[in-house]
Amino acid sequence: MKLFVQIPCLNEEQTLPQVLENIPTEIPGIDSIEILIVDDGSTDRTVEVARARGVRHVVAHVQNMGLARSFRDGVDYALAHGADIVVNTDGDNQYPSERIGDLVQPIVRGDADVVIGDRQTAKIAHFSAFKKTMQRFGSHIVNRAAGTDLPDAASGFRAYSKQSLLRLNVLTQFSYCMETIIQAGNKRLRIVSLPITTNAKTRESRLFTNMGQHMAKSGSAITRSYLMYKPHVILGGLGAILLVAGVIPFVRFIVFWLQGSGAGHVQSLIFGSAMLVGGLLSLALLVIADLQRSNRVLLEEQLERLKELQYSRPAPTTMKYELRKPDAGTRTTYGSPKASGARPQIAEDGNDQVLESSKAMVNDGVDGLRKSEQQETR
């Protein structure tokens, strides 16, 4: 059984050595342990530091692409190179790398598909009371959407089995943490939580600039996931509220009309009509969202089969694929460090075609899911 420990990094040359030093070299039930650095546009010596400490696998972004994209590209690389389990930790040494052995054991035993480290946020000293409250509230909302009971839904210290990664699809551009939990819960994957303690804080978060931004982006991601998997919760609830709000003015008008003074209360009819129209539109959108959900399920099943075909093949001598920059048509070609022993080369041209047909098929499937999600959101 092969384990890949992937470490997303953005200028982590100071803390990365400690993270690498604490990763176990032997774990019961694991035959080989590989370390993968996902360099998300670092401008310091992060990659050089990793290479100097024996890291052979590196995926490098030309510029910062975000945590969700880093996670997705790392998973693609790990699965293509035969990973049976993928562990995600951070390059800022927030999580205890020495606990990776404990993190993967439920998957090794066959008791879980996903294992999430519970940071026990109530005990973290540098978390303010407001942040601790928001962490509990956010985890509660995610658990409601996913049908799970996890104490720390935002934790990035996680282990995924290969089969769970074949079924999960990261669509968001912000953070994969909550989205993958909601997907895993609705797909009935087995998720367990492992209590851990975090290391001392080394720097401020680079995922968001302030708590308000984090709450806004997390709320947006949760809302989209709700619309994808439980549209009746939002659209059905909104439609019911609007319908009730529309019926009440009509009843009020009828009462006044029966009393002979209905002429002075036409505004009740106008307000009630507007609310009823809004309620009917919400219900119509609910029907459309439900149909889109059926289409999305079919796309996900198709994409899962494509992934199985793609990742069941032996790892290529040189795995090539491209990462697209948001504004320019820049392609980055990555070569296996094990095969070439060199840093991935960057080709600057306007070609946007993926070099492997299997990679193109998977990307087409993800694009289809994104379009389906956008339609459901509308």
Side-chain angles (χ1 to χ4, degrees), residues 292-366:
Q292 288 291 333
R293 181 175 59 176
S294 300
N295 183 58
R296 176 181 48 75
V297 170
L298 295 176
L299 285 173
E300 286 183 338
E301 291 178 352
Q302 183 183 42
L303 183 57
E304 182 180 345
R305 289 180 173 85
L306 289 174
K307 287 181 178 180
E308 289 176 350
L309 290 173
Q310 178 186 7
Y311 297 129
S312 64
R313 302 170 184 172
T317 303
T318 302
M319 188 185 77
K320 296 181 178 180
Y321 59 97
E322 64 182 34
L323 297 176
R324 301 176 185 175
K325 294 172 69 175
D327 299 323
T330 300
R331 185 186 68 200
T332 306
T333 304
Y334 298 93
S336 169
K338 182 177 181 180
S340 63
R343 185 183 176 94
Q345 297 180 348
I346 300 174
E348 296 286 341
D349 60 26
N351 185 7
D352 278 340
Q353 300 300 318
V354 180
L355 300 179
E356 290 187 4
S357 59
S358 58
K359 185 74 180 180
M361 295 169 69
V362 172
N363 284 342
D364 288 343
V366 173

Side-chain angles (χ1 to χ4, degrees), residues 34 60 159 193 200 207 215 225 238 276 279 285-286 308 317 327 345:
E34 303 287 346
S193 181
L207 187 60
M215 291 171 59
S225 298
L238 178 61
L276 289 177
L285 289 174
L286 175 59
E308 289 176 350
T317 303
D327 299 323
Q345 297 180 348

Side-chain angles (χ1 to χ4, degrees), residues 168-186:
L168 298 176
N169 303 290
V170 179
L171 305 176
T172 183
Q173 298 298 316
F174 173 54
S175 173
Y176 67 93
C177 294
M178 296 183 181
E179 182 182 32
T180 52
I181 289 179
I182 294 174
Q183 285 190 35
N186 283 279

Side-chain angles (χ1 to χ4, degrees), residues 95-224:
Y95 302 113
S97 300
E98 62 273 10
R99 296 293 306 277
I100 288 176
D102 298 326
L103 194 71
V104 302
Q105 284 307 307
I107 297 178
V108 172
R109 295 193 302 266
D111 297 333
D113 301 301
V114 181
V115 183
I116 300 176
D118 172 19
R119 296 171 295 174
Q120 305 181 77
T121 54
K123 300 179 181 179
I124 299 179
H126 64 267
F127 274 22
S128 65
F130 177 74
K131 188 172 184 178
K132 292 177 181 179
T133 301
M134 289 296 100
Q135 288 284 352
R136 290 195 299 270
F137 178 73
S139 295
H140 172 72
I141 296 298
V142 172
N143 286 327
R144 288 288 302 273
T148 55
D149 185 20
L150 299 170
D152 188 10
S155 173
F157 190 53
R158 303 180 174 199
Y160 295 85
S161 68
K162 177 180 179 180
Q163 290 305 313
S164 69
L165 291 172
L166 293 179
R167 299 186 64 187
L168 298 176
N169 303 290
V170 179
L171 305 176
T172 183
Q173 298 298 316
F174 173 54
S175 173
Y176 67 93
C177 294
M178 296 183 181
E179 182 182 32
T180 52
I181 289 179
I182 294 174
Q183 285 190 35
N186 283 279
K187 292 179 179 181
R188 300 296 185 266
L189 298 179
R190 297 167 299 171
I191 312 174
V192 301
S193 181
L194 174 72
I196 61 171
T197 56
T198 58
N199 296 321
K201 183 178 179 180
T202 57
R203 59 166 174 79
E204 296 296 331
S205 174
R206 294 174 181 150
L207 187 60
F208 52 89
T209 57
N210 54 66
M211 195 62 174
Q213 183 191 44
H214 177 62
M215 291 171 59
K217 289 187 175 181
S218 298
S220 176
I222 294 172
T223 301
R224 286 199 303 270

